[in-house]
Amino acid sequence: MSKCGCTCSDAKEKQLQEIIEKYKNTEGALIPVLHEAQEVYGYLPLSVQSKIAEGLNVPLAEVYGVVTFYTQFSLYPKGAYKIQVCLGTACYVKGAALVLNELQKELGIEVGKCTEDGKFSLDACRCIGACGLAPVIMINDDVYGRLKPEDVKGIIQKYKDMTE
Amino acid sequence: MHFYRAHVLCCAGTGCTSSKSLDIISNFEKYIKENQLENEVKVIKTGCFGLCAEGPIVVVYPEGTMYVRVSPADVKEIVEEHLVKGRAVQRLLAGHDKTAEVSQSLDNIEFFTRQKRIALRNCGVINPECIDEYIARDGYSALAKVLTQMTPQQVIDEVTASNLRGRGGAGFPTGRKWQFAANSKGDIKYVCCNADEGDPGAFMDRSILEGDPHSVIEAMTIAGYAIGANHGLIYIRAEYPIAVQRLKIAIQQANEYGLLGENILGTGFSFDLQIRLGAGAFVCGEETALMTSIEGKRGEPRVRPPFPAVKGLFGKPTVLNNVETYANIPVIILKGAEWFNTIGTERSKGTKVFAVGGNIVNTGLVEIAMGTTLREIVYDIGGGIPNGKKFKAAQTGGPSGGCIPAEHLDTPIEYDTLTKLGSMMGSGGLIVLDEDNCMVDIAKFFLEFTVDESCGKCPPCRIGTKRMLELLEKITSGDGEDGDIEKLEELAKSISKSALCGLGQTAPNPVLSTLRYFRHEYEAHVYDKKCPAGVCKAMLHYHIIADKCIGCGLCARKCPTSAISGDKKQPHVIDQSKCIKCGVCMESCKFAAIYRG
Ligand SMILES: Cc1cc2nc3c(=O)[nH]c(=O)nc-3n(C[C@H](O)[C@H](O)[C@H](O)COP(=O)(O)O)c2cc1C
Ligand code: SF4
Ligand code: SF4
Ligand code: FES
């Protein structure tokens, strides 16, 4: 249990303190803590970063520096459906850029952004290892392969229908 | 031990899992039970077979029958036909859709027969989540041999004599590296594994970790014994959740079996292993950046020397090797350096795994003896280029590498020949490009990657690659001017010389190598404002050939921006100002009346 002394009113905060406690004495603790904190919160807002800085006793500037260096860490919340478009080489030479364009058009957002209703976020990623199915996209944990730009509409519609 | 009359192996690597192989496995279990075969047939979840293009893949032993593109709905038939009645399901056999003879078994599929599997020896053969299966295939006997019959120096000598070179890119002799670290004085030393696999078209390291994690654990422990280290760390990409999970399971099992941890096999040698997740930065694949990242900082490279063997992780002597390098070690220890030297070429011994992708029939993983020609990989193993297209080039070495054009298809593949051709072995991504790929666009793709991934520490890389990318963007959007190609070349050469780490030093390679072999494509963009492959949109126009157009109106209806108009039964025209160059019209026309140019 944490002995942080603060009012750990909400469950997430308690989890965060436990994570910090677990790694406190490990060398190079910051990155594992950030990974696990992001799993709890879904992203790493400044408020979470400053708690980590305090807990691990490192300057906030260093925490922020690390968070912004690595693409896995996000300062902004992601959509309920996280869409990742593989722009690895195998996918690229098979037309992944066209699929990405279509997705941007269909969702009306740019890469790295989230739709206003919070349903979809769109990111580019590197090889997810399904090159045999190139080009591929991933929506949360589902992989869609051998895509053509015209397949995009139907796939997005499926997710839109699911939430309604 | 229970004896099963048949084994069903199903790939549970990332590729096949994404096409529902886990459902296939559970269906097998269900139907095997329904047919009361659970005491006769065993279902095994394996790692990648390598033939990812044809996944999901199921192999039934003892026959070795390979089923391809299996769907969960096919399982019932395989169980009822093959496992109950002993008749292979013809429609799912490898090669069933081609005119050539259907391949009944793994042993006569050219994709496999041409390969030599050392690093991938257990992938697709054992269940990676079961240490007993690894042990049954001689697993951990190399470790036992080392700990009970060899001195640390003998281990290093054996690895040195094998002439194994690092598979992570640079090809540095592994034995020499271990010797340096062994010679360094220090109470604490580390053994690290580079599983950051940054080349955006390579996935062999992931497949090894998913399909045979114990081989890496065993090798790292051997390295620990050799250099006098008791701690190991595996730095792995967070984007590889299945590999991370399997590694965790494997480490736990090895600990339980006394093959890892305190007092291994009662010999007094102790070695522990931890996993550290990367966080999505390509530069962290570079050895010094990787160590900085494990230390919890921004993964920026350091100046070498001091080399990691002297001053590495947390300032202690460290050995860092790539996953595939490690996977070779147990076999070398068991079969000996002499055996290893019989495979490969004069200066590159052993095998190399390639992740073959792009415009090729059999995308997937292949392991070949060094010295195999590119032609054999592309045509004999890879099955050639789909849709009757022409081979243009093979890209190796990812963002640090270059292209090998058709005239060099017969070059034997090894470290030195690839470097001489202006490319490099890299970690083993091999992307096949055909006539529809624009080489300037490919160079731009890799430059975008390096600009994105430059850590920003040194100006030549941070600013120089950006300038190169701007020039490439200018050229591909049809604004190229006389002198731009020369400027690009100059920039490339000076960045190669002045950047701090390997990322910056090799970033210009894709440009330099495409300039070397495909300068005419650059010139076509700059001087003729044409993209010969028809990729760079700014230079593309769709036209309707009036003589061929019968005025059916189909294209006009399909066009998303209503750019096409014309009277019924009259030749139609495309309004270039509205056209977004999506190409839908050309695809839809049944009279080949639309061309791109
Ligand atoms: C920018 C850059 C990225 C690299 N990425 C990787 C990588 O993803 N995996 C890898 O094993 N080596 C990578 N390397 C090479 C490593 O620095 C190092 O040489 C290698 O891991 C040593 O292992 P080996 O001798 O077994 O090949 C990279 C090097 C550079 C300069
Ligand atoms: S070459 Fe690029 S990646 Fe390497 S240190 Fe310099 S800026 Fe960073
Ligand atoms: S589809 Fe072909 S034939 Fe029909 S109007 Fe268009 S260009 Fe003419
Ligand atoms: S390049 Fe997209 S999955 Fe490998």
Side-chain angles (χ1 to χ4, degrees):
Chain A
M1 253 329 91
S2 79
K3 298 183 222 71
C4 56
C6 61
T7 46
C8 298
S9 50
D10 87 73
K12 283 183 180 173
E13 166 119 23
K14 204 171 113 198
Q15 265 175 287
L16 178 64
Q17 293 305 339
E18 279 167 10
I19 294 166
I20 293 173
E21 205 55 38
K22 182 167 86 185
Y23 284 101
K24 216 167 180 168
N25 299 315
T26 318
E27 265 182 302
L30 182 54
I31 292 175
V33 169
L34 290 172
H35 268 299
E36 293 194 19
Q38 180 155 289
E39 243 162 61
V40 174
Y41 288 89
Y43 68 118
L44 295 168
L46 221 49
S47 58
V48 172
Q49 291 180 44
S50 61
K51 284 185 192 115
I52 293 174
E54 204 178 307
L56 293 178
N57 202 14
V58 287
L60 178 58
E62 193 178 320
V63 177
Y64 183 76
V66 168
V67 170
T68 50
F69 184 84
Y70 296 98
T71 51
Q72 280 273 311
F73 300 133
S74 173
L75 292 169
Y76 307 100
K78 295 280 173 206
Y81 299 111
K82 290 189 262 306
I83 306 177
Q84 304 216 42
V85 184
C86 177
L87 287 188
T89 322
C91 287
Y92 185 77
V93 303
K94 289 203 146 182
L98 304 177
V99 174
L100 180 62
N101 279 345
E102 196 61 29
L103 274 164
Q104 292 183 333
K105 241 181 13 205
E106 192 59 37
L107 297 169
I109 53 173
E110 282 167 44
V111 178
K113 295 280 157 58
C114 189
T115 53
E116 259 172 41
D117 57 9
K119 264 184 205 154
F120 297 97
S121 55
L122 183 61
D123 287 288
C125 69
R126 305 262 148 77
C127 185
I128 57 170
C131 310
L133 308 175
V136 302
I137 66 170
M138 216 157 79
I139 302 185
N140 290 349
D141 288 333
D142 292 331
V143 174
Y144 296 86
R146 303 193 177 106
L147 287 180
K148 294 214 168 65
E150 52 270 31
D151 299 332
V152 163
K153 215 185 181 91
I155 295 173
I156 295 300
Q157 195 56 47
K158 199 176 94 187
Y159 285 88
K160 281 187 179 157
D161 294 346
M162 272 194 315
T163 40
E164 268 150 29
Chain B
M1 206 169 148
H2 188 83
F3 183 78
Y4 293 95
R5 75 166 164 87
H7 289 84
V8 175
L9 276 60
C10 182
C11 173
T14 299
C16 286
T17 307
S18 70
S19 30
K20 311 248 178 309
S21 69
L22 295 182
D23 293 348
I24 294 173
I25 294 173
S26 58
N27 276 3
F28 264 111
E29 280 161 354
K30 178 173 141 206
Y31 290 115
I32 284 173
K33 206 152 181 207
E34 264 178 28
N35 288 282
Q36 279 133 25
L37 293 173
E38 63 265 44
N39 290 323
E40 294 173 43
V41 182
K42 189 170 165 143
V43 185
I44 298 172
K45 177 165 130 184
T46 70
C48 179
F49 290 94
L51 194 50
C52 306
E54 296 286 306
I57 288 175
V58 171
V59 178
V60 182
Y61 282 103
E63 302 92 324
T65 309
M66 179 162 166
Y67 292 115
V68 299
R69 299 206 186 197
V70 178
S71 81
D74 296 327
V75 172
K76 190 161 184 267
E77 189 179 345
I78 299 178
V79 173
E80 288 172 357
E81 282 296 305
H82 191 144
L83 297 173
V84 176
K85 299 183 188 147
R87 291 194 296 237
V89 182
Q90 296 292 325
R91 66 176 180 89
L92 295 171
L93 290 177
H96 63 91
D97 51 351
K98 314 213 172 70
T99 44
E101 214 170 295
V102 172
S103 306
Q104 294 283 351
S105 127
L106 243 51
D107 304 329
N108 48 31
I109 297 174
E110 203 167 24
F111 178 80
F112 292 103
T113 52
R114 294 258 181 171
Q115 296 191 45
K116 173 127 194 99
R117 298 189 142 212
I118 299 174
L120 298 178
R121 62 192 176 281
N122 290 325
C123 287
V125 178
I126 62 167
N127 176 350
E129 295 179 5
C130 175
I131 190 170
D132 292 325
E133 294 195 13
Y134 179 67
I135 292 173
R137 305 249 315 160
D138 286 339
Y140 290 103
S141 36
L143 178 63
K145 179 177 173 185
V146 161
L147 292 182
T148 57
Q149 299 167 31
M150 294 169 88
T151 63
Q153 189 55 47
Q154 282 172 330
V155 177
I156 296 174
D157 290 343
E158 194 70 30
V159 174
T160 308
S162 75
N163 291 309
L164 174 67
R165 295 171 68 175
R167 303 295 192 238
F172 191 82
T174 306
R176 282 237 313 269
K177 195 187 270 187
W178 290 17
Q179 187 72 65
F180 287 139
N183 293 350
S184 292
K185 299 230 170 340
D187 47 340
I188 297 178
K189 294 183 186 178
Y190 291 101
V191 173
C192 291
C193 174
N194 190 342
D196 197 39
E197 196 151 58
D199 174 352
F203 55 95
M204 66 284 301
D205 293 347
R206 199 205 47 223
S207 287
I208 291 171
L209 292 170
E210 284 178 2
D212 193 16
H214 285 287
S215 66
V216 175
I217 296 173
E218 180 178 9
M220 289 181 72
T221 314
I222 292 172
Y225 175 72
I227 68 156
N230 304 108
H231 307 287
L233 284 113
I234 302 176
Y235 187 85
I236 179 168
R237 295 180 69 189
E239 294 94 325
Y240 287 177
I242 298 179
V244 173
Q245 186 55 24
R246 302 238 165 106
L247 258 179
K248 282 187 182 157
I249 294 172
I251 290 174
Q252 196 195 339
Q253 288 176 344
N255 273 313
E256 283 164 9
Y257 274 57
L259 297 164
L260 196 63
E262 295 286 324
N263 192 14
I264 295 172
L265 292 169
T267 58
F269 175 68
S270 301
F271 189 76
D272 62 55
L273 209 49
Q274 283 182 35
I275 298 175
R276 286 303 170 88
L277 295 190
F282 175 65
V283 72
C284 289
E286 197 275 338
E287 54 184 18
T288 59
L290 182 148
M291 292 174 198
T292 324
S293 176
I294 293 181
E295 289 164 11
K297 299 180 216 137
R298 293 164 66 96
E300 287 172 1
R302 299 196 275 249
V303 183
R304 294 173 309 179
F307 286 95
V310 178
K311 215 167 172 237
L313 187 62
F314 300 117
K316 309 288 182 199
T318 304
V319 151
L320 171 77
N321 279 118
N322 163 265
V323 172
E324 190 188 334
T325 314
Y326 281 125
N328 278 290
I329 296 285
V331 190
I332 290 175
I333 296 292
L334 284 182
K335 296 197 178 176
E338 211 173 301
W339 165 81
F340 197 73
N341 275 289
T342 61
I343 305 159
T345 63
E346 183 66 36
R347 305 213 40 214
S348 306
K349 299 297 181 192
T351 59
K352 178 76 193 89
V353 183
F354 284 97
V356 183
N359 294 312
I360 185 159
V361 173
N362 295 331
T363 45
L365 275 195
V366 304
E367 181 170 359
I368 44 125
M370 297 273 188
T372 305
T373 65
L374 190 55
R375 187 184 300 281
E376 284 175 84
I377 299 182
V378 174
Y379 289 97
D380 300 338
I381 300 174
I385 320 291
N387 310 322
K389 299 273 179 181
K390 242 173 62 198
F391 173 90
K392 189 186 251 182
Q395 208 283 344
T396 68
S400 311
C403 294
I404 304 164
E407 67 251 40
H408 293 299
L409 267 171
D410 291 307
T411 311
I413 294 194
E414 51 175 350
Y415 291 98
D416 313 275
T417 48
L418 289 185
T419 312
K420 227 186 271 155
L421 290 177
S423 183
M424 66 185 276
M425 182 80 82
S427 52
L430 197 157
I431 306 288
V432 177
L433 307 169
D434 70 14
E435 53 191 296
D436 288 344
N437 293 119
C438 164
M439 301 313 278
V440 188
D441 179 65
I442 294 292
K444 187 178 84 174
F445 165 77
F446 282 115
L447 249 292
E448 272 167 9
F449 180 89
T450 31
V451 166
D452 221 31
E453 294 294 342
S454 164
C455 81
K457 186 168 175 173
C458 71
C461 172
R462 184 183 65 235
I463 302 165
T465 55
K466 189 104 209 283
R467 288 291 101 76
M468 283 181 72
L469 178 59
E470 282 163 10
L471 276 169
L472 286 169
E473 276 165 351
K474 184 174 162 201
I475 293 173
T476 51
S477 23
D479 302 323
E481 297 167 88
D482 200 5
D484 280 351
I485 298 177
E486 290 72 17
K487 238 188 266 170
L488 197 59
E489 217 166 7
E490 236 169 78
L491 259 170
K493 286 182 183 154
S494 83
I495 296 170
S496 301
K497 271 190 245 133
S498 53
L500 170 66
C501 86
L503 191 156
Q505 289 155 8
T506 58
N509 284 356
V511 170
L512 288 170
S513 105
T514 45
L515 272 172
R516 174 164 163 191
Y517 298 114
F518 299 96
R519 200 180 184 96
H520 53 278
E521 287 197 22
Y522 282 82
E523 286 165 355
H525 284 76
V526 173
Y527 301 109
D528 310 336
K529 306 289 175 226
K530 276 213 163 77
C531 173
V535 172
C536 300
K537 281 197 172 180
M539 279 171 264
L540 267 191
H541 299 285
Y542 288 86
H543 304 280
I544 295 176
I545 308 165
D547 289 352
K548 284 196 180 170
C549 174
I550 63 149
C552 69
L554 184 62
C555 58
R557 269 174 273 136
K558 287 263 169 105
C559 174
T561 57
S562 310
I564 305 176
S565 58
D567 293 332
K568 236 190 193 150
K569 300 203 176 156
Q570 293 300 314
H572 282 42
V573 283
I574 300 176
D575 179 347
Q576 297 297 340
S577 66
K578 283 192 190 163
C579 174
I580 55 160
K581 298 159 189 173
C582 66
V584 165
C585 57
M586 194 162 109
E587 268 170 38
S588 60
C589 179
K590 298 202 169 55
F591 304 92
I594 303 184
Y595 76 95
R596 186 169 66 188

